[in-house]
Amino acid sequence: MATFFGEVLTLSSRAVDDDDEDEGDEMLQRFPEPQFAWQPGVNKEMEESEVRKLSCRTLIIAVGPAATGFLEAYILWSKIEVVATIEYDLSRSNSAKGHHKCSVYRLKNHPDVLVCQCKNEVLPEMSHVWTKQLFQNLDSTDMEVIVMDMVSTAEYRTDMSSSEIPACFLRSMQSSTPGRKIQPCPSLESPNVIKGLSASVLSHCQIYGVSCLLCIGFFDSLFLHTDDIKVFLPLLSSDPIKDIVQENPDAESVLRKLVERRALQGSLYT
């Protein structure tokens, strides 16, 4: 079983060395904290709740253009509503170019399902605060978390030769929380590690006893292709997503448009 940063010693899942607190303080000064904002109606909903948190049975978090594109084509095409936004700055100078936003949606046909779309990178330095701000407002009782992320095959550690590694493939990790175990794909092998926002969310769930499945898509191309997005298809027939997904007759068209739009923006890692 592969490991992830922040798994054992601390709540931090940053992919940098936690040598001392001064370094952490320096990071916060360099990168402003993410700004989390719930919609007014959702705030009222939480205030009226007994636990003063938003009910959530299933939380799906997608990171990167392949994972977010998959959800746009297969899940978010139906009736949804925005319940929150998470804004953050990567430029260290508050410039418009470095300003990004994650959106949190709720499925109207399944109001206990939340979907968080992060099309741009969330730096490891920001990941712990980002995770804390999201989860502190959610009722995690019996909650299941699905995280979808993408990584270059150049980071995949294996004894196989480069010619034997598939162009794109899927691996998974799970928290050790008791409950149903989901296995839509093989587990990520040692000595591979994960980092960034995915590691932070998986770490949080491991520490606080929340069921979490992380699916990592590995890609060898600098540019997004429909096959890259479809690497996540096994999730559609796995719990808990199979219970909420509705067939989208226009999924292929959505995928093609996503790929074309991404080609105009640049590579997967820019």
Side-chain angles (χ1 to χ4, degrees):
M1 175 67 70
T3 58
F4 51 92
F5 290 104
E7 182 180 14
V8 178
L9 295 180
T10 70
L11 289 178
S12 173
S13 294
R14 296 185 298 142
V16 294
D17 293 330
D18 289 324
D19 291 330
D20 51 53
E21 293 183 1
D22 292 338
E23 182 180 354
D25 293 339
E26 180 183 350
M27 291 296 181
L28 290 177
Q29 293 173 4
R30 289 168 53 194
F31 298 99
E33 286 193 2
Q35 300 299 309
F36 200 106
W38 292 98
Q39 294 296 312
V42 178
N43 271 324
K44 182 178 179 181
E45 187 177 332
M46 288 190 287
E47 290 172 0
E48 295 175 350
S49 167
E50 291 184 4
V51 295
R52 303 186 70 81
K53 293 184 179 183
L54 187 64
S55 174
C56 179
R57 189 64 180 265
T58 302
L59 172 64
I60 305 173
I61 301 174
V63 184
T68 56
F70 178 84
L71 293 184
E72 286 182 35
Y74 294 102
I75 294 181
L76 293 177
W77 70 277
S78 189
K79 296 179 180 179
I80 58 175
E81 62 176 329
V82 177
V83 296
T85 57
I86 311 170
E87 299 188 14
Y88 56 100
D89 178 54
L90 301 181
S91 68
R92 310 177 191 178
S93 61
N94 292 318
S95 71
K97 184 176 180 180
H99 187 79
H100 297 297
K101 178 174 69 175
C102 300
S103 297
V104 183
Y105 302 92
R106 178 162 54 186
L107 306 188
K108 289 190 175 181
N109 293 334
H110 300 274
D112 57 351
V113 177
L114 299 182
V115 178
C116 182
Q117 292 278 81
C118 294
K119 296 182 179 181
N120 300 100
E121 177 187 18
V122 178
L123 293 179
E125 296 88 340
M126 297 180 176
S127 296
H128 172 61
V129 174
W130 189 102
T131 302
K132 180 180 178 181
Q133 288 185 353
L134 175 62
F135 278 86
Q136 70 184 2
N137 292 292
L138 300 179
D139 183 0
S140 60
T141 306
D142 298 325
M143 184 168 69
E144 291 182 295
V145 179
I146 308 291
V147 184
M148 303 162 58
D149 202 350
M150 51 181 290
V151 179
S152 169
T153 52
E155 299 183 33
Y156 182 63
R157 299 182 183 181
T158 178
D159 293 331
M160 293 189 296
S161 65
S162 57
S163 61
E164 295 177 297
I165 301 176
C168 57
F169 57 97
L170 196 63
R171 291 292 185 268
S172 66
M173 295 182 68
Q174 295 190 47
S175 64
S176 60
T177 304
R180 58 180 174 179
K181 293 299 179 182
I182 310 164
Q183 195 70 31
C185 61
S187 297
L188 183 62
E189 308 90 343
S190 295
N192 288 285
V193 297
I194 60 169
K195 57 187 178 181
L197 183 59
S198 293
S200 178
V201 173
L202 186 57
S203 240
H204 177 94
C205 292
Q206 174 72 17
I207 292 169
Y208 291 98
V210 178
S211 175
C212 180
L213 169 70
L214 166 62
C215 288
I216 312 107
F218 287 87
F219 310 99
D220 71 349
S221 174
L222 287 176
F223 296 93
L224 187 65
H225 302 284
T226 55
D227 287 344
D228 299 331
I229 300 175
K230 289 181 178 179
V231 76
F232 294 107
L233 278 175
L235 284 169
L236 296 183
S237 56
S238 302
D239 293 324
I241 292 181
K242 72 176 184 179
D243 299 325
I244 63 176
V245 69
Q246 296 180 355
E247 183 177 356
N248 181 6
D250 298 319
E252 290 294 331
S253 175
V254 172
L255 292 179
R256 286 194 299 270
K257 291 178 181 178
L258 287 170
V259 170
E260 291 170 0
R261 186 167 67 243
R262 185 66 197 182
L264 295 175
Q265 295 174 350
S267 75
L268 283 171
Y269 307 103
T270 58

